[in-house]
Amino acid sequence: MIRGVRGAITVLENNEVEIVSATQRLAREVIKENGINPESVASVFISVTEDVNAGFPAKALRQIEGWSLVPVMCMQEIPVPGSLSKCIRIMFHVNTDARQEDIKHIYLEGAKALRPDLLKSNNRL
């Protein structure tokens, strides 16, 4: 069963060092909290707000040991009312037997779910 595991984090500056560091911190937290093995990941989808360089988060994942071959797609979001600024969102598509309600979604540094109905899952803010 493929499950979606979400996470988001905000950054203060749009520079490579901060974005790579924040993305790796978020990814490691999501991986740790859900026991994700890179071999169980079908793909990773990253979206960033328009004020964040879209290339840096994908680069950050490639630098984590064992993640160099995981398919990653990164895009910039079209702003919507109420959107955060300088936000990185990650969705891991994981092959797991875990029930969706047991998945831990991680939101760090003031980030939040893009849609309030997504907060029904088990989240750590």
Side-chain angles (χ1 to χ4, degrees):
M1 174 87 50
I2 300 290
R3 299 281 186 201
V5 183
R6 295 181 301 277
I9 192 168
T10 57
V11 294
L12 295 175
E13 299 294 327
N14 180 24
N15 66 59
E16 182 174 4
V17 172
E18 185 164 350
I19 292 169
V20 167
S21 174
T23 303
Q24 288 180 344
R25 180 172 161 235
L26 174 62
R28 286 189 174 107
E29 191 70 21
V30 171
I31 291 163
K32 179 183 80 171
E33 288 292 324
N34 291 285
I36 297 173
N37 179 333
E39 293 178 5
S40 69
V41 177
S43 63
V44 179
F45 177 77
I46 302 171
S47 67
V48 299
T49 52
E50 65 179 344
D51 49 3
V52 173
N53 184 313
F56 297 150
K59 180 178 181 179
L61 281 184
R62 295 278 181 248
Q63 293 174 357
I64 297 175
E65 186 175 343
W67 287 79
S68 62
L69 299 177
V70 173
V72 176
M73 180 173 66
C74 192
M75 63 170 266
Q76 283 191 300
E77 299 172 2
I78 297 171
V80 296
S83 285
L84 294 172
S85 61
K86 294 186 179 72
C87 186
I88 302 162
R89 293 184 177 82
I90 299 179
M91 168 77 84
F92 295 88
H93 301 105
V94 181
N95 187 4
T96 180
D97 293 329
R99 298 176 315 167
Q100 189 64 43
E101 56 267 18
D102 294 331
I103 300 291
K104 295 176 181 81
H105 305 292
I106 309 296
Y107 298 94
L108 304 174
E109 307 300 332
K112 61 183 180 182
L114 190 57
R115 294 183 8 218
D117 60 313
L118 296 177
L119 289 174
K120 295 175 185 171
S121 299
N122 185 8
N123 298 294
R124 196 176 102 219
L125 300 173

